[in-house]
Amino acid sequence: MKKKNSISRRTTLKGIGTIGAMTFFANRTYGEQFAGINSKEIEAQSDIRKTIFAKVFSTPLIDTHEHLIEESDRLNASHSRIRSNDWSFLLNHYINSDMLTCGMPQAEYDKFFSPDVAPIDKWKVLKPYWPAVRNTGYGMAVEIAMQQLYDIPELSGQTIAKVISGYEKFCRKGFYKEILCDKSGIESCQVNALEQPFRKSAMPELLMQDISIVGMFAGPNIDSYAKQAGIDVKTLADWYRVIDWWFDTYGPYAVAVKSQNAYSRDIDYENVPAEQAEPVFAKRLSGENLTSKERKLLEDYLFWYAVKAATKASLPVKLHTGYYAGQNGMPLSRLINNPASATHLCRTAPETRFIFMHICYPYYEEILSVAKHYTNAYIDMCWSWIINPIAAKDFLKKYLVTAPANKIVTFGGDYIPVEPVLGHAVIARRGIALALSELVEEGWLGLNRAVELADMIMHENARKIFNLKEKTKKLKGAFWAA
């Protein structure tokens, strides 16, 4: 008797598309090095897994978090983040931290990223450390990208020449769209520009933008925000006008606001009366040093002003939680408080949609309970797939049987260079497919429901949460792109 969930191979493959077929069946050129999937493994899988993997690898993704620089800056090598415009740039974000923590000396690190070292010689610098880092999520994302873009089985001494030439040939006009849309299956990205509060992208419909609010309250960064607004800040009321100008000018075009202030403190923002904040702001303007207590008081007050402005503009508030990028600077004693502080935010502003990013790794069980309990709490799995791919897969499994399925978005590459976004997308798709497959195999979900959930968590939720239909229409007529 045919099993209830048995589906023919022909049905499984229907509609998988070029990207899905290439990835799902893992072109034999890549063998076992391709994200852990090879053709023999796929052939041995159950109909459930074949069906779900085919669905996930052919379903569009909305990318809800990136730090991508503009394509023109890559082509001109004119951005400060580009230390050396060669293949080493692909390792200049995230995996560079693994390179240091595995033991690479600072002198070797500087040599690897130096523009004065020939690209071919950089492999000799990396070679002793590559075996230690290639199997981390950071390492996998880079190597998968190289496999897909430069047609190599792995990064090695035998393939480095092809990587170097591939990098040089691929960096050409239009390569962002080719990587993001054609090869990664991404509909649109949401970019948090690191060098300015809101970037007027040359590709506004593809590289949608967040408004960075961190400088509105942390510091605050008066020069950066007031200069563009054309407002001379002499009082707290003037600073209100600056913040309002950013929302009036760019709020209609932005998809969300973003703060990474959790890198320097907990997200325990308290409601502070204006009369307490005003003298502290005056002290800040005069150039006096603030005490830690005064600094927190001012940050807390201005945070809520920015959040209220975002809510008025119907923009979700994205907040970093959990793990820190970099190395040798992460106090877990602070991070462990993020979920509890998140509940305070949700209670304080029930009309604001808070999006807690990165699954608050490693405290993802706790942030899961926040999403379940609070109406205005949402989870973004961005970055988590390369921090710890297995933890991210387990989180998604647990989330789908715990909290409402319409409150999670499952992918954001979180990269400055565009190429590793492709590798990250493959890792995320594998994790999503495994999570859904295991839920079906363990009897928690039916196969049809799992297939429906793939659409919801990979793109439908993001479209609704960030109002992408209306934002796309608005961005088509963006005043700076006319």
Side-chain angles (χ1 to χ4, degrees), residues 11 52 67 75 77 111 117-119 140 158 199 247 283 297 369 392 444-445 449:
T11 303
I52 292 175
H67 296 294
L75 296 177
K111 183 178 180 181
V117 176
M140 283 192 285
Q158 287 69 46
R199 183 191 290 144
F247 281 98
K283 189 175 178 180
L297 183 150
S369 68
W444 302 109
L445 289 178
R449 180 57 183 149

Side-chain angles (χ1 to χ4, degrees), residues 449-462:
R449 180 57 183 149
V451 170
E452 292 170 356
L453 281 170
D455 285 312
M456 182 180 290
I457 65 179
M458 294 177 72
H459 57 83
E460 289 176 357
N461 289 347

Side-chain angles (χ1 to χ4, degrees), residues 245-263:
W245 180 88
W246 281 96
F247 281 98
D248 291 342
T249 305
Y250 296 110
Y253 304 98
V255 287
V257 303
K258 162 74 189 303
S259 168
Q260 58 268 50
N261 193 220
Y263 272 94

